[in-house]
Amino acid sequence: MVGAVIRLEARASDAELVRQARQGERGALEALFRRHAGMAQGVAFRLLGRDSDLEDVVHEAFLTAFARLDRLDQGESFGAWLATIVTGKAIDTIRRRRVLARLGLLGLDPVPLERIVAPHAPPDIVAELRAVYTLIDRLPTAERVVLVLRRVEQLGLDEIAARTGWSLATVKRKLGRAEQALRRSAGEGR
Amino acid sequence: MSAPRKRPADHVRVPLSSERTERIWRRLDASTRRPRRAPAAAAVALAAAALAALWAGRGARVAPAPAEAIVAEAARPDGVTLADGSVLRPGRDAQTTVLAASPTDVRVRLSRGAASLDVVEAPGRSFVLEAARVEVLTSGARLRAEVSGEPPSLSLAVESGHVAVRSERGEELASLQGGQTWSLRALEPVASAPAPRPGPRPEPRLTARPARPGEADAPQPAAATARPAEARPAPPAASSAGVEIDPASLFAQADRARLGGQPGEAARLLERLCTAHPSDGRAGVASFQLARLRLHELGDAAGAATWFRAALSHPSAAAYREDAAADLVEALDRSGQRAACAAAREAFAAAHPSSPRLAAVARRCPSP
């Protein structure tokens, strides 16, 4: 005997939600937010290395994305597009923090390594993350960002260029310098 | 077959929580619902407000409200609870109009008499009390306001929380903490002309006298709370209106406005900081931020170029010089100042040959 077939409503795709959001459906905006909020917070946190400013970066990124939905050619790539916006906002925030710190208007505490690295991470990953996050505050913003995108997010060079809007040559050059600093830093730690 | 190895990113402990996600959503929801300020929109809002829930004095009824202006509860014996949870308690002869009351936008007008307000903390919610031609803004406070006389005078007593007072023209008149009182007497009609006006000025008075418990419910004449200006938490500079302004407060308010999706308001506050406190440590960063808002949010490339130049000439420019110089090229390009753009582009290439922004800058204002 063949049982009744129940047709389940497929989850609305990002493309569909983007289409509805462009027509002013607030529910679609909320669905897009809830679907991608975790990813956005993850990208922002790993780039910032800290909890502070995280909510502002994510809020600003979604605000920008929602205001510019009409510029998104392919709705299904909303997630990747949002990650690019989050990255841009995080870069702005890191630059702004550095400016304020240089002006003595903001104190930068060290990145809290114990709280960043998950407790059951494999030892080699722990070492990698510690090396990167110990160094990043000492790097110029662009080098810091490409290092995190490469070493932590494990993006390819093309993907880093697309994510940051910088040329491939710039990404290679910045990454080269960041890697050099990472090696020096590892040497100091021995 | 072994599972694919996780990326290092997957081993970073991101502080995710449903509370945080909800908080961000509430802010976002409020920001995306807030109407943009425009003369036409303001007129429509005013017309809607005229039809809004209107009531005067204790025990007044609530008239049918427009879509966004909903008073959640009018049955309290001593006041009303608004849709955002804030409580408004009008004094005996108070004339109070609830112009808008939604979870994200509350605007109350006090035309006469005294009223106390318990404004609940709500991120992303805009709460404004209009009284005697000024706006009292707070994100959460307990305060008492009284309007008396003709022309109207205003006195404020803040019991807890933080309150900002600004004029119709948007100038910040005071920033008050719990325990402070403030009054404004003999207000002249505020002109819309941008230049500073000669003639009589408002006479704000600020004291650090603690507001006594229960004071909010006991209306007093305005003069009773007016004391000579005394201590203020941080001694700020004098503004064009002869009123003290705190640059740190301006900077923080601008940030909140920017993050709350109000770039125009943020720009106004930053411009105020830059012009009123040019030697403050924040003025350079504020000029830079203001220029970026004008360029990217407000569509004013020419104005942005002016502020980028101001930022670059500030003593603290070293901290952001590269970005400001690159953005200046973009602003000049977008405002059609081709010769200036080309010069700025060449200057940038010479000063920052290894900048990650060099390629993008080099593409600006190409020779015909």
Side-chain angles (χ1 to χ4, degrees):
Chain A
M1 181 182 160
V2 179
V5 175
I6 300 171
R7 187 181 296 275
L8 293 172
E9 182 85 12
R11 196 173 80 140
S13 65
D14 278 358
E16 176 59 18
L17 289 175
V18 167
R19 190 188 63 75
Q20 291 175 11
R22 282 176 180 153
Q23 291 173 348
E25 285 284 339
R26 294 201 63 80
L29 287 180
E30 182 169 358
L32 283 169
F33 169 79
R34 296 200 181 280
R35 186 174 293 177
H36 295 285
M39 176 277 292
Q41 290 178 67
V43 169
F45 181 75
R46 291 189 291 271
L47 284 168
L48 297 171
R50 290 178 179 80
D51 209 11
S52 59
D53 298 323
L54 176 64
E55 288 183 29
D56 289 344
V57 166
V58 173
H59 170 252
E60 259 196 288
F62 271 103
L63 203 59
T64 301
F66 288 168
R68 297 177 183 171
L69 273 181
D70 54 337
R71 298 187 199 174
L72 177 61
D73 292 334
Q74 295 172 321
E76 63 268 26
S77 40
F78 178 82
W81 181 63
L82 177 68
T84 302
I85 296 173
V86 172
T87 303
K89 299 292 180 193
I91 290 171
D92 285 349
T93 300
I94 294 166
R95 285 191 170 133
R96 186 177 155 79
R97 272 185 191 166
R98 296 171 76 94
V99 168
L100 291 174
R102 279 187 218 173
L103 296 174
L105 300 171
L106 178 75
L108 280 182
D109 296 325
V111 173
L113 291 170
E114 283 66 34
R115 280 187 291 164
I116 279 189
V117 183
H120 303 298
D124 58 328
I125 300 259
V126 173
E128 174 92 3
L129 289 172
R130 280 180 171 276
V132 170
Y133 282 105
T134 302
L135 177 68
I136 56 172
D137 278 344
R138 305 207 301 264
L139 292 177
T141 304
E143 291 172 21
R144 166 193 179 133
V145 168
V146 293
L147 187 70
V148 171
L149 293 178
R150 180 67 170 163
R151 289 282 188 142
V152 180
E153 303 287 338
Q154 296 209 321
L155 298 184
L157 295 178
D158 288 345
E159 291 172 303
I160 296 174
R163 180 75 77 85
T164 56
W166 299 330
S167 71
L168 188 57
T170 297
V171 168
K172 283 180 182 169
R173 193 169 61 247
K174 298 294 173 190
L175 186 59
R177 286 183 193 161
E179 294 282 4
Q180 220 170 28
L182 193 63
R183 283 193 292 278
R184 274 201 307 273
S185 174
E188 287 167 12
R190 281 190 197 120
Chain B
M1 196 175 95
S2 63
R5 185 175 163 79
K6 285 182 171 180
R7 303 171 305 154
D10 300 322
H11 295 283
V12 172
R13 195 158 48 171
V14 179
L16 289 175
S17 72
S18 53
E19 290 81 10
R20 163 171 272 166
T21 302
E22 284 307 315
R23 210 161 44 232
I24 301 172
W25 170 248
R26 281 199 302 272
R27 280 177 67 190
L28 191 60
D29 190 39
S31 304
T32 51
R33 279 180 197 275
R34 184 179 295 123
R36 296 282 178 195
R37 282 191 176 207
V44 170
L46 221 59
L51 301 169
L54 181 67
W55 54 280
R58 197 180 288 268
R61 65 196 162 75
V62 177
E68 288 282 310
I70 300 158
V71 175
E73 177 197 333
R76 292 178 65 97
D78 57 348
V80 291
T81 303
L82 305 172
D84 68 331
S86 300
V87 177
L88 166 65
R89 295 186 184 87
R92 190 174 307 251
D93 300 315
Q95 186 173 340
T96 318
T97 308
V98 180
L99 299 172
S102 77
T104 56
D105 184 19
V106 179
R107 185 170 276 265
V108 176
R109 179 179 297 152
L110 177 62
S111 308
R112 188 181 65 225
S116 67
L117 285 154
D118 272 350
V119 182
V120 295
E121 283 281 353
R125 184 271 330 271
S126 158
F127 194 106
V128 180
L129 170 68
E130 290 181 16
R133 297 199 188 98
V134 301
E135 290 184 335
V136 180
L137 298 91
T138 181
S139 59
R142 181 175 161 79
L143 69 142
R144 174 182 174 277
E146 180 178 1
V147 174
S148 58
E150 192 59 44
S153 300
L154 169 67
S155 64
L156 287 174
V158 180
E159 197 173 312
S160 61
H162 174 256
V163 159
V165 187
R166 68 183 187 196
S167 71
E168 275 182 332
R169 291 196 309 173
E171 293 171 305
E172 183 171 349
L173 301 178
S175 178
L176 308 175
Q177 305 288 342
Q180 291 187 312
T181 63
W182 183 86
S183 64
L184 188 61
R185 294 194 294 176
L187 249 185
E188 295 296 324
V190 178
S192 58
R197 295 168 300 122
R201 298 280 185 209
E203 297 174 18
R205 296 186 177 201
L206 176 73
T207 75
R209 179 178 64 79
R212 288 183 294 273
E215 182 179 64
D217 298 318
Q220 304 170 32
T225 56
R227 303 270 178 88
E230 292 172 8
R232 189 181 168 117
S239 79
S240 61
V243 183
E244 295 172 338
I245 301 173
D246 172 3
S249 164
L250 278 173
F251 199 70
Q253 283 181 43
D255 243 12
R256 282 198 294 275
R258 183 175 62 83
L259 295 170
Q262 296 177 282
E265 174 68 0
R268 187 190 65 73
L269 291 162
L270 289 169
E271 190 164 342
R272 183 106 190 111
L273 195 162
C274 297
T275 51
H277 306 280
S279 56
D280 185 83
R282 302 164 188 81
V285 190
S287 303
F288 179 41
Q289 188 76 48
L290 170 58
R292 297 192 86 174
L293 280 171
R294 288 194 175 282
L295 182 62
H296 299 298
E297 305 286 342
L298 301 174
D300 176 16
T306 303
W307 282 106
F308 281 128
R309 286 194 172 112
L312 285 165
S313 67
H314 196 271
S316 66
Y320 49 77
R321 189 183 305 283
E322 180 180 335
D323 281 319
D327 288 339
L328 172 63
V329 177
E330 182 180 350
L332 291 168
D333 187 18
R334 284 167 58 172
S335 59
Q337 302 177 60
R338 300 190 64 82
C341 174
R345 183 191 61 205
E346 297 313 314
F348 181 86
H352 309 284
S354 63
S355 169
R357 305 188 62 180
L358 184 59
V361 168
R363 287 194 293 273
R364 292 281 169 193
C365 44
S367 304

